[in-house]
């Protein structure tokens, strides 16, 4: 491999090796440079979709944890993620929430609440 210090005449493979990336990355960057100019090649494209605001914030998260720490409804031996999600919607803590989102909320908390203590059934 004959790599010029300035990069003139490099193949995509040589540039990829020099910069520790995939050759497709080099090819895509070169294509953007030729078609759209230097600014496009140096800067990220703006996202087509704006970032979504999280539906679970501090207050809602606290209510969900408090609900989980409480006793399960009558007739239930323990909380399940699906039951917890249903009750959270019923109590209007959130307009809608999936059991998977609820699992992620409980998992990321640093409280004594353990997701493994919530029975998961499918």
């Amino acid at each position: 491999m004959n790599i010029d210090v300035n990069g003139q005449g490099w193949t995509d493979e040589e540039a990829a090796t020099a910069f520790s990336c995939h050759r497709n990355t080099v090819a895509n960057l070169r294509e953007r440079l030729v078609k759209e100019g230097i600014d496009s090649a140096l800067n990220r494209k703006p996202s087509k979709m704006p970032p979504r605001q999280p539906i679970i914030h501090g207050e809602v998260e606290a209510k969900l944890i408090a609900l989980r720490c409480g006793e399960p409804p009558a007739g239930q031996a323990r909380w399940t993620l699906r039951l917890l999600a249903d009750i959270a919607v019923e109590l209007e803590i959130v307009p809608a929430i999936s059991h998977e989102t609820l699992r992620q909320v409980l998992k990321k908390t640093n409280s004594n609440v353990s997701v493994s203590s919530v029975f998961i059934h499918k």
Side-chain angles (χ1 to χ4, degrees), residues 4-5 8 16-17 35 44 49 72 75 83 87 102 105:
D4 178 20
V5 175
Q8 294 178 345
T17 300
K35 288 183 177 178
R44 289 181 180 261
M49 294 185 62
L83 177 61
I87 299 295
L102 186 58
V105 168

Side-chain angles (χ1 to χ4, degrees), residues 83-103:
L83 177 61
L84 200 53
D86 291 344
I87 299 295
V89 171
E90 188 178 301
L91 294 175
E92 298 180 355
I93 295 173
V94 290
I97 190 169
S98 72
H99 66 280
E100 175 58 19
T101 300
L102 186 58
R103 183 192 67 78

Side-chain angles (χ1 to χ4, degrees), residues 30-88:
R30 180 177 30 79
E31 183 178 351
R32 257 194 5 247
L33 174 65
V34 171
K35 288 183 177 178
E36 301 172 27
I38 189 79
D39 287 338
S40 177
L42 294 176
N43 300 307
R44 289 181 180 261
K45 295 180 197 175
S47 176
K48 292 180 182 179
M49 294 185 62
R52 289 181 45 194
Q53 294 296 321
I55 62 166
I56 306 300
H57 49 80
E59 183 181 338
V60 171
E61 191 174 302
K63 288 180 181 180
L64 291 171
I65 292 169
L67 181 62
R68 163 57 187 97
C69 289
E71 290 294 317
Q76 301 294 325
R78 66 175 97 183
W79 284 107
T80 65
L81 290 172
R82 292 177 198 276
L83 177 61
L84 200 53
D86 291 344
I87 299 295

